[in-house]
Amino acid sequence: MDSSQLLKGVLDLAVLAVLKERDGYGYDIVRRLREAGLHEVGDASVYGTLRRLFKAGALTSYVMASDEGPHRKYYGLNEVGMRMYAASAKTWSSFSETMASLLKEGRE
Amino acid sequence: MTPEEYAQAVRDALADHPEREELLDDLDDHLAEIAAESGLPLEERLGPPGAYAEELAAAYGERPERRRRVRPGPRERARSAHALLMRYTPYRGLAGFLPELRPGWWVLRGYVLAMILVSMAGDGRIAPATAADWAVAVARLRRPVGRPVGHR
């Protein structure tokens, strides 16, 4: 199975998890996701997801000037985003446990 | 392609997106950041702008105007009007009664058809008038036209 297909369903949660750690701007978030092991994550997918989460009211944003380049729009979790993260994380944990035990049964 | 050109191409590709401004809010800065970091041309780094725009719109959510709005046809509209009217007792009574009128409808239809044929014939003769005519009519019915008598 192509892992980019799997990623589609959990990209929201991945982005929320990265932002829970600390605020970040678009490209910084892409980079941190890749560093965490999601190498196939598409820049446009992350950027579109950020804009959607922002529209949904889960993120705050503020602009900071950077020394070496353009202004950076930082995103961070607000109350709504925190709740969204907690709920999605719970769903994902129980889902991945189920899958793990299914796969274990398959091996035996 | 400079970051500005790339951003413009993405903007153009999403020209019909109803929330384009919200979606592409800080795209220029974002692309400038990527360009500054990698040094590679953006097309190489991100692929063609059209594909980038597609991926962006897909991640953001479905384009509302792409959802095909099907205009209901007359049949569909009649059906929904019927469903609406069925809430009212008098209409329900009428609708329940209509099937019982069906034989009457058949008779009426047959009558109207006959009247049309009569008016087309124009000579007022709608049934065989003489005994000879009757014989011909009956023979025609029993032996279809085109099959000669005595041959198989």
Side-chain angles (χ1 to χ4, degrees), chain B residues 57-144:
Chain B
Y60 187 71
E62 198 189 342
R63 296 181 187 195
E65 91 281 17
R66 283 275 172 98
R67 271 182 226 142
R68 223 155 53 87
R69 192 179 291 166
V70 183
R71 273 183 75 103
R75 191 179 285 251
E76 197 52 48
R77 254 177 293 179
R79 200 171 290 153
S80 61
H82 173 69
L84 186 76
L85 286 167
M86 279 304 267
R87 284 188 219 156
Y88 303 102
T89 317
Y91 183 81
R92 249 199 326 268
L94 179 69
F97 180 60
L98 281 176
E100 301 191 17
L101 292 178
R102 204 171 282 152
W105 167 235
W106 290 334
V107 170
L108 182 69
R109 226 164 23 178
Y111 178 73
V112 168
L113 189 66
M115 292 308 285
I116 289 170
L117 286 174
V118 166
S119 67
M120 276 164 69
D123 61 356
R125 276 175 54 186
I126 55 169
T130 64
D133 282 353
W134 272 110
V136 169
V138 171
R140 274 283 162 82
L141 284 173
R142 293 188 60 175
R143 216 175 283 123

Side-chain angles (χ1 to χ4, degrees), chain A residues 11-12 25-28 30-31 34 41-49 51-52 55 66 68-73 75, chain B residues 19 21-34 36-38 45-46 51-53 55-56 58-61:
Chain A
L11 189 54
D12 283 25
Y25 54 93
Y27 186 54
D28 169 56
V30 176
R31 203 164 39 200
R34 288 188 180 148
V41 74
D43 182 90
S45 297
V46 174
Y47 185 74
T49 300
R51 296 307 303 165
R52 178 165 43 75
K55 187 183 91 172
S66 74
E68 67 266 25
H71 290 302
R72 287 168 176 167
K73 188 170 218 167
Y75 294 94
Chain B
E19 293 177 26
E21 293 314 312
E22 281 172 274
L23 171 54
L24 304 181
D25 181 45
D26 58 339
L27 180 74
D28 293 79
D29 289 344
H30 180 70
L31 292 174
E33 188 85 36
I34 295 170
E37 202 247 13
S38 71
R45 180 79 193 238
L46 301 172
Y52 188 89
E55 191 183 330
L56 203 54
Y60 187 71

Side-chain angles (χ1 to χ4, degrees), chain B residues 1-11 27-36 38-49 52:
Chain B
M1 214 182 254
T2 65
E4 292 79 27
E5 286 165 349
Y6 194 95
Q8 191 52 51
V10 172
R11 237 175 268 284
L27 180 74
D28 293 79
D29 289 344
H30 180 70
L31 292 174
E33 188 85 36
I34 295 170
S38 71
L40 279 172
L42 283 175
E43 303 98 294
E44 266 177 55
R45 180 79 193 238
L46 301 172
Y52 188 89

Side-chain angles (χ1 to χ4, degrees), chain A residues 21-87:
Chain A
E21 202 179 281
R22 63 170 190 276
D23 294 359
Y25 54 93
Y27 186 54
D28 169 56
I29 295 162
V30 176
R31 203 164 39 200
R32 278 155 64 191
L33 286 168
R34 288 188 180 148
E35 277 166 14
L38 301 174
H39 305 291
E40 281 134 284
V41 74
D43 182 90
S45 297
V46 174
Y47 185 74
T49 300
L50 271 175
R51 296 307 303 165
R52 178 165 43 75
L53 290 173
F54 180 72
K55 187 183 91 172
L59 308 180
T60 54
S61 84
Y62 51 94
V63 175
M64 269 179 39
S66 74
D67 303 332
E68 67 266 25
H71 290 302
R72 287 168 176 167
K73 188 170 218 167
Y74 277 76
Y75 294 94
L77 295 190
N78 59 19
E79 272 296 307
V80 177
M82 281 291 191
R83 279 203 298 275
M84 200 185 267
Y85 168 78

